[in-house]
Amino acid sequence: MSRSGVVHVLVDAHNVLHHDPTLRTWMHEPERARSELERLLAGRQHLHLFYDGGPGGEVRTSHRQGLAIDYAGTGEADDRIVRWLQTNHSRRAVVVTDDAELRRRVRTLGAGVADARGFLDNLRKERDPREDRGPLSPGEVDEWMRIFGLDRDSSA
């Protein structure tokens, strides 16, 4: 059967967390690191995060912020990724990891691979910097008012 349709991105999440300089600083707070990763990836369709371990040591699959989240419980995320590929053999997939053994395993199943190093950097470059701006500060408002020759106290 040929693979067609959308490309599913399967992320070896702990591998990405360990290779991203910003997220790595929060590894002593695993839940915060995971939350930040999920915030960065939120809303992207066909993106699956696979975590080693998980709350209560249980296998769990859920959806948050538009992402499929998979916890391996007492198993390993690598095995869950391989199982996903075996179960979804007709779907196109790319696995994001720098784990050499996992890269070998997923290639034998026909999946593409992408480096964990730089994965988030590339996504951050794609984002419109205006998305994260937030509201203007009072000083910025005053500066724009001055530039456009407007008086804050005048009514339109």
Side-chain angles (χ1 to χ4, degrees):
M1 177 179 278
S2 69
R3 295 171 189 233
S4 62
V6 300
V7 176
H8 293 264
V9 178
L10 312 180
V11 179
D12 182 1
H14 281 115
N15 193 264
V16 169
L17 289 171
H18 285 286
H19 285 99
D20 184 79
T22 303
L23 297 176
R24 188 173 47 233
T25 62
W26 292 321
M27 288 309 289
H28 64 283
E29 298 177 59
E31 196 54 44
R32 182 173 179 191
R34 287 190 290 262
S35 293
E36 182 62 17
L37 175 61
E38 292 167 21
R39 186 190 68 76
L40 289 169
L41 300 175
R44 296 183 184 274
Q45 294 184 347
H46 312 294
L47 200 139
H48 310 260
L49 296 175
F50 291 83
Y51 291 108
D52 294 314
E58 297 175 13
V59 172
R60 185 183 318 168
T61 302
S62 62
H63 289 83
R64 285 194 300 261
Q65 301 185 60
L67 306 168
I69 311 292
D70 187 286
Y71 289 101
T74 58
E76 292 188 18
D78 296 8
D79 295 331
R80 303 278 300 166
I81 291 169
V82 167
R83 193 169 304 117
W84 189 97
L85 292 168
Q86 291 168 335
T87 304
N88 296 281
H89 56 87
S90 64
R91 294 185 180 180
R92 294 172 51 201
V94 171
V95 177
V96 178
T97 187
D98 282 347
D99 180 318
E101 177 60 18
L102 179 57
R103 291 168 75 93
R104 184 195 63 72
R105 291 173 70 190
V106 302
R107 279 188 178 124
T108 64
L109 295 169
V113 294
D115 294 335
R117 288 184 178 96
F119 170 68
L120 293 178
D121 288 341
N122 290 333
L123 292 178
R124 286 177 180 121
K125 288 176 189 173
E126 288 177 14
R127 292 180 70 167
D128 183 346
R130 294 173 291 180
E131 290 177 355
D132 297 326
R133 270 228 13 102
L136 295 175
S137 70
E140 289 171 314
V141 170
D142 289 339
E143 180 66 13
W144 283 111
M145 298 287 281
R146 185 189 63 70
I147 289 169
F148 289 109
L150 301 171
D151 181 6
R152 228 183 223 252
D153 298 324
S154 67
S155 58

